[in-house]
Amino acid sequence: MALSVAQLLGSPADGTDLDRNLEIGIKATGASSAIAVGRVVFLTESSGEWAIATTGSTGRMGVVPKLDPVNVDADSTLTVATGINSAWYVEALGTIKPGARAAPATGGKLIQYVAGNVGTTVAENDVEAAIKDFERAPFVYEGHYGEGSGLGNAPTQITTGQIGRFRIAK
């Protein structure tokens, strides 16, 4: 029986080794609110707390997995999927083409990332901006559920509100 879109959100998309790809962290919201499964979170390094990622978030990122126990309002901690090359189902907040890098947007959803252009004369701040660009887009869109499994089953672009398979590439 096929899974519904709601059931996919936050689920592992491949045979990922959960022991190596999950970590327990402290929620920035403390014990006051749950962070929904399938949402992208980032580590606020100054406090050591995980928070819902938004536009412009940088640093370590991961996905809240749909694995028991899922964090609830009363929890001060949560499980975060952070394993490089692990894939998870996340909701899009715009059109993302297959193979494109994706970055967090409002509410821990993902958008296609477009890096800024570097001029012909490269300055130190251009290099720093390029590094930040890479940190802002640590996900790669691979397709909807069941897509991309063979030459006759190419992945298609995802649009707002759809759930897709995203690989943590950084």
Side-chain angles (χ1 to χ4, degrees), residues 22-146:
L22 300 177
E23 60 184 91
I24 304 300
I26 300 168
K27 284 193 308 191
T29 56
S32 63
S33 64
I35 297 177
V37 296
R39 296 298 182 224
V40 174
V41 292
F42 77 107
L43 181 65
T44 307
E45 292 185 8
S46 61
S47 66
E49 297 171 334
W50 290 91
I52 296 174
T54 60
T55 304
S57 294
T58 61
R60 292 190 59 220
M61 292 191 203
V63 175
V64 177
K66 184 178 184 177
L67 300 169
D68 287 330
V70 173
N71 76 95
V72 295
D73 288 348
D75 292 335
S76 59
T77 60
L78 78 164
T79 302
V80 181
T82 57
I84 294 173
N85 287 326
S86 64
W88 302 87
Y89 286 100
V90 179
E91 185 177 349
L93 190 65
T95 301
I96 305 172
K97 296 186 181 345
R101 291 188 73 85
T106 305
K109 300 173 186 176
L110 292 172
I111 58 171
Q112 183 163 324
Y113 188 75
V114 179
N117 290 329
V118 176
T120 55
T121 305
V122 179
E124 181 179 345
N125 60 338
D126 293 328
V127 173
E128 291 171 2
I131 292 168
K132 286 285 187 195
D133 279 348
F134 187 75
E135 289 180 352
R136 285 186 183 103
F139 300 92
V140 174
Y141 172 61
E142 295 184 331
H144 295 88
Y145 178 75

